[in-house]
Amino acid sequence: MKATLRTVRLTLAEPLRISRSTTAARDAVWLTVGHEGLYGHGEAVSSVYYGLDTGTLERLLHACGRDLARFPDPESALHEHCADARPAAGYATDEHPPAVRAAVESALLDLCGKRAGVPVHRLLGAAYAPSARTARTIGIVPAAHAAAQARALADAGFALLKVKAGAPDPEDDIERVRAVRSAAPGARILLDPNGAWTPAQARPLMDRYAELGVEAVEQPVAPGDPEALARLAEDAPLPVIADEDAVGLDDVRRLAGRVQGVNVKLAKCGGPRAALRIAGLLAGSGTDLMLGCLTASTLGLAPAVHLADRARWADLDGHLLLADDPWTGIGGADGVVRAGALPGLGVREKRDAHGVSDGSGAPAPRTGEAGGP
């Protein structure tokens, strides 16, 4: 197998402000794995929060690509990568963070699906192509702007809105949610402070948001003390969804049955198979699954969309926040993301003004040759 890399800049349609930062753009590193004339693709995006800069991603994915060359075919590479036991492959050790492992698994699943002539969701155990109503994020913006966004999104078909909170003045957040509720009275609303509240603030604020009809609150208090999060969830007026406090399987095991939801992102848990193990752990525990994402392209979102039928809440809108998504294939502009029936991930790279390949066949010229013949 032969692997190549390409790094691109993803610019948001408008900067997204959350409680701890504002994001206007991020880099995506695309890993393409080729074997016998077919190609699979995966994406990892830079993240200050997860300590992943562009150079780190390129270095780690380059090493992964070189290691893949030792396998005779993508199926054997995928089998070792996704083994339930402690991973033995060089690209799947603790030296390589979950976002990198997820990108490698995505590329291998895409390639294996194309070789087998089946979509990725079939490889992951689903008989039918999943689809889900996705939340659409509204950042920390003035109430009037939030209302205009909510109205436009509701008109486009979005029935689930996620409003960011954690402004210096909590009353600004209340005003924003009230404006969204007024502009989109039929929409379900999730709230995400990204850990901005203190435990003393959380309960009285949640009482007020419950009165506004908010459906659930995601990571209301700062991560690092999952016991405090679990105590808050015991008698909270709203379902509490763990995010930053639920990174991998061990974190989820500590919180299963003690919070009402867990936000699983492939970039933080390590890929689709790791997400399925978490889903299995949560089954019957009283804790529901939420599928989330980072801001990424359709390529980065596609693996999670192939799991969308497992989740109570889908927050898979990262590609919808971009000014220009370089890939296509999962939809979402009408509020619904859909896994296609095409082999592999079912996505393709858009052809640009220079005639770049659409990604369904041989890749365009890419930086960082990483593998052997």
Side-chain angles (χ1 to χ4, degrees):
M1 287 190 295
K2 185 175 182 179
T4 55
L5 302 182
R6 182 180 173 192
T7 301
V8 300
R9 189 72 164 165
L10 302 177
T11 302
L12 278 68
E14 68 174 65
L16 176 64
R17 180 187 169 197
I18 66 175
S19 61
R20 61 174 177 257
S21 63
T22 300
T23 301
R26 65 190 343 148
D27 286 338
V29 182
W30 296 340
L31 172 69
T32 295
V33 180
H35 185 67
E36 297 181 343
L38 293 174
Y39 299 86
H41 309 280
E43 175 180 277
V45 294
S46 58
S47 169
V48 173
Y49 183 78
Y50 291 112
L52 295 174
D53 58 36
T54 307
T56 298
L57 288 175
E58 290 173 336
R59 174 176 58 81
L60 294 176
L61 285 168
H62 185 269
C64 293
R66 290 184 64 86
D67 190 76
L68 287 172
R70 68 186 174 89
F71 293 97
D73 52 60
E75 290 79 13
S76 57
L78 182 64
H79 175 76
E80 185 165 334
H81 180 87
C82 297
D84 287 343
R86 181 178 175 83
Y91 56 83
T93 68
D94 289 342
E95 297 176 7
H96 295 87
V100 171
R101 300 200 303 270
V104 173
E105 186 178 345
S106 171
L108 291 173
L109 282 169
D110 191 25
L111 181 52
C112 288
K114 288 172 180 174
R115 280 166 56 84
V118 299
V120 162
H121 61 265
R122 292 277 300 277
L123 299 181
L124 298 175
Y128 302 100
S131 65
R133 287 196 172 275
T134 180
R136 180 65 157 78
T137 301
I138 296 175
I140 297 177
V141 295
H145 186 43
Q149 287 183 312
R151 189 174 298 109
L153 290 168
D155 288 345
F158 285 86
L160 181 61
L161 303 176
K162 182 161 97 166
V163 182
K164 292 290 186 176
D169 184 353
E171 294 302 320
D172 290 343
D173 295 332
I174 294 285
E175 184 182 0
R176 184 179 318 107
V177 172
R178 186 176 289 120
V180 168
R181 169 57 69 214
S182 178
R188 298 157 56 204
I189 298 177
L190 303 175
L191 190 73
D192 187 8
N194 288 105
W197 298 343
T198 67
Q201 288 177 310
R203 180 54 195 262
L205 284 173
M206 290 171 69
D207 286 335
R208 296 180 68 185
Y209 285 114
E211 293 174 357
L212 291 172
V214 168
E215 181 171 315
V217 60
E218 194 177 333
Q219 195 66 42
V221 295
D225 188 355
E227 291 300 316
L229 188 69
R231 286 193 300 271
L232 179 64
E234 283 179 1
D235 61 351
L238 296 172
V240 172
I241 302 170
D243 182 0
E244 288 88 344
D245 266 329
V247 176
L249 192 66
D250 289 341
D251 298 324
V252 175
R253 186 176 287 113
R254 283 190 289 269
L255 289 168
R258 305 180 66 200
V259 295
Q260 288 76 38
V262 168
N263 186 344
V264 172
K265 298 173 183 170
L266 303 191
K268 71 174 181 175
C269 76
R273 299 286 184 179
L276 286 174
R277 287 194 286 273
I278 290 174
L281 174 64
L282 292 178
S285 71
T287 298
D288 289 315
L289 179 69
M290 178 180 191
L291 276 175
C293 65
L294 302 180
T295 304
S297 77
T298 280
L299 174 60
L301 270 290
V305 174
H306 282 272
L307 297 172
D309 56 333
R310 270 82 166 185
R312 174 179 173 182
W313 299 284
D315 180 23
L316 300 175
D317 68 337
H319 62 307
L320 302 175
L321 304 179
L322 300 180
D324 183 18
D325 183 357
W327 292 75
T328 187
I330 60 173
D334 61 351
V336 179
V337 289
R338 303 168 178 86
L342 294 176
L345 290 173
V347 301
R348 60 183 177 83
E349 186 182 353
K350 298 174 182 174
R351 188 175 298 274
D352 69 14
H354 304 289
V356 170
S357 168
D358 70 1
S360 58
R366 296 171 188 262
T367 59
E369 292 286 337

